[in-house]
Amino acid sequence: ELPFVKEALEPHMSANTLNIHHGKHHNAYVIKGNELLAEAKISADSLEELVKKTAKAGGALFNNVGQHYNHSFFWDSLSASGGGAPTGDIATKIDEAFGSYDNFKAEFIAGGMGQFGSGWVWLVNDDSKLKITKSANAETPLTDGMTPILVCDVWEHAYYLDFQNRRPAFLGSFLDNLVNWDFANENLASA
Ligand code: FE
């Protein structure tokens, strides 16, 4: 389930985008992933553990489980009352790692633009330091020993209805209007 109603993020992310993105794309990964997990007789106590277990096998099983994890993390990275400069510990850590929020913003957008084709741009905690990283398809920094703090989906299905081909405008709007700093602070606290 989405952690907000489908209309909550308008006009920055439309209900129509969420109908397709959550209702069709994400749902297909959940259905296929559950089928493949049942066939493979794999289970785990948490989604994070399941991602790590299936990453070893790779293939369709990991692609579907990884996409479920990445999309769930993306929905939690969005908030109707989000966007703008951060507050709390994450603000201090961003200043430490990037020099300023404006530098962070430029690097995050450049990271999302530098992901050729479909994938994700992440803010992660790596060895007590924040950094920006990107991943392709279902890949996730969780399997590289890093703690995800925030993610933005840069597959075209995430922005095409609202922004057409303008990925940088979508990334700018994600940071200005939607990014959930409360979620980032929770993840930082448990990193
Ligand atoms: Fe997506």
Side-chain angles (χ1 to χ4, degrees):
E1 294 300 320
L2 284 173
F4 40 76
V5 297
K6 279 181 301 199
E7 294 75 19
L9 309 181
E10 290 189 336
H12 313 296
M13 188 178 287
S14 63
N16 199 17
T17 287
L18 288 163
N19 278 331
I20 305 281
H21 194 179
H22 177 261
K24 306 287 183 194
H25 290 278
H26 186 177
N27 191 52
Y29 297 128
V30 171
I31 290 174
K32 191 69 192 170
N34 278 330
E35 249 174 58
L36 295 172
L37 285 167
E39 275 171 29
K41 297 188 170 55
I42 293 178
S43 62
D45 291 333
S46 69
L47 179 56
E48 287 77 5
E49 198 190 316
L50 201 57
V51 169
K52 289 174 187 170
K53 269 191 185 176
T54 56
K56 291 185 189 116
L61 179 60
F62 172 69
N63 284 340
N64 285 280
V65 172
Q67 286 287 28
H68 173 51
Y69 172 79
N70 289 357
H71 279 94
S72 301
F73 206 86
F74 178 50
W75 310 133
D76 284 335
S77 296
L78 304 170
S79 167
S81 56
T87 52
D89 288 348
I90 195 73
T92 312
K93 294 283 277 186
I94 281 178
D95 284 345
E96 269 173 34
F98 302 98
S100 69
Y101 176 65
D102 285 345
N103 286 347
F104 157 78
K105 194 174 155 179
E107 277 194 45
F108 190 86
I109 292 172
M113 291 307 295
Q115 173 54 40
F116 185 77
S118 297
W120 308 82
V121 57
W122 304 80
L123 177 65
V124 298
N125 192 58
D126 185 19
D127 229 359
S128 302
K129 195 169 187 285
L130 293 185
K131 69 176 197 187
I132 288 161
T133 185
K134 54 199 183 180
S135 69
N137 301 320
E139 287 163 20
T140 166
L142 191 63
T143 55
D144 295 322
M146 297 182 253
T147 306
I149 303 290
L150 286 171
V151 73
C152 187
D153 187 338
V154 296
W155 290 55
E156 280 189 348
H157 64 223
Y159 59 89
Y160 214 85
L161 294 175
D162 298 322
F163 293 89
Q164 288 77 53
N165 61 319
R166 295 175 295 124
R167 190 190 285 187
F170 166 65
L171 285 159
S173 177
F174 169 79
L175 292 174
D176 289 343
N177 304 304
L178 298 175
V179 64
N180 185 345
W181 293 118
D182 292 339
F183 180 61
N185 272 312
E186 282 169 29
N187 292 323
L188 185 64
S190 59

